[in-house]
Amino acid sequence: MRTISLISGLAIVLAAAAPAAAETMRSKVAFNTGVQKPAPTQPADGMAKTWDVTLSGGELDGCTASIVDNLFPRDNGSWGTFEFAATVTCAKGAFKLNTSGAWDQNGFHGGGAISKDGRSGDYAQLEGRVAQIGVSFVPAAEAGTFDVSYDLVIDRVNK
C-alpha cells in the first residue's frame, strides 16, 4: 500500500509542477492604412497612429482591436521599429496586448505579450505571448495607402 500511495503522491506533485499546456489562438488582421489617424501624442523621433480593426476568423472572430502604433523610421523611412498596443474587445470580454518589432519594404514582424491590465470576462485570467506573422503589405487602389494583413497569434499559457 505504501508503494501505491507514494506513486500517487508523486504523480500529483509532478502534475502540479508541470507547466500549463499552451493553446494557440489565431485570427486575421486586415486593414487599409487610410483608416489610420494621428494619435493625440506623438513621439519626438517618430510618429504615432491609431485605428480600429475587426478581427476575422479563428478564436477572435468579430472582436475589435483598438490600436495605437508608434513608428520610428530609420534611413529615410526604408526601415524602422515599432511599438504596438491594442485593446481587444469581444462579446465575452476584453484584454490588452503589447508588441514591438521591425519593418521594412517587405513588411513587419512583431512579438510581445498579453498585458496584466484590462482583462475581463472570458479573458480575465488570459496570459500568453503574442506574435504578428505572415505579413502582406501591398500598395492599395487608394493612392498613397497600403493594404496590410497578418495573423495575430496568441500562445495562451492558461485556460
Side-chain angles (χ1 to χ4, degrees):
M1 289 289 188
R2 283 190 173 166
T3 304
I4 293 172
S5 296
L6 178 60
I7 292 171
S8 297
L10 184 56
I12 291 169
V13 169
L14 289 175
E23 170 189 330
T24 301
M25 299 168 55
R26 181 185 295 252
S27 287
K28 183 66 92 178
V29 177
F31 64 95
N32 178 277
T33 58
V35 302
Q36 297 174 320
K37 305 289 183 228
T41 57
Q42 296 291 315
D45 59 345
M47 67 178 150
K49 301 283 187 170
T50 64
W51 70 98
D52 292 341
V53 65
T54 301
L55 306 179
S56 62
E59 294 76 13
L60 300 172
D61 186 45
C63 298
T64 300
S66 298
I67 300 166
V68 177
D69 197 4
N70 292 303
L71 302 165
F72 304 98
R74 301 291 184 259
D75 294 343
N76 297 318
S78 64
W79 72 276
T81 60
F82 65 88
E83 297 169 345
F84 179 99
T87 299
V88 179
T89 306
C90 305
K92 295 182 178 181
F95 62 93
K96 294 181 180 182
L97 60 91
N98 298 295
T99 66
S100 60
W103 55 269
D104 63 15
Q105 67 276 5
N106 297 316
F108 63 89
H109 296 285
I114 300 296
S115 172
K116 300 253 186 235
D117 300 323
R119 298 178 297 178
S120 67
D122 284 0
Y123 306 106
Q125 301 300 314
L126 179 62
E127 294 180 12
R129 296 171 292 271
V130 178
Q132 296 160 299
I133 61 173
V135 176
S136 170
F137 192 84
V138 296
E142 184 181 332
T145 69
F146 293 89
D147 287 331
V148 178
S149 68
Y150 59 90
D151 288 329
L152 176 65
V153 181
I154 298 171
D155 184 23
R156 185 175 187 165
V157 295
N158 69 322
K159 296 201 178 202

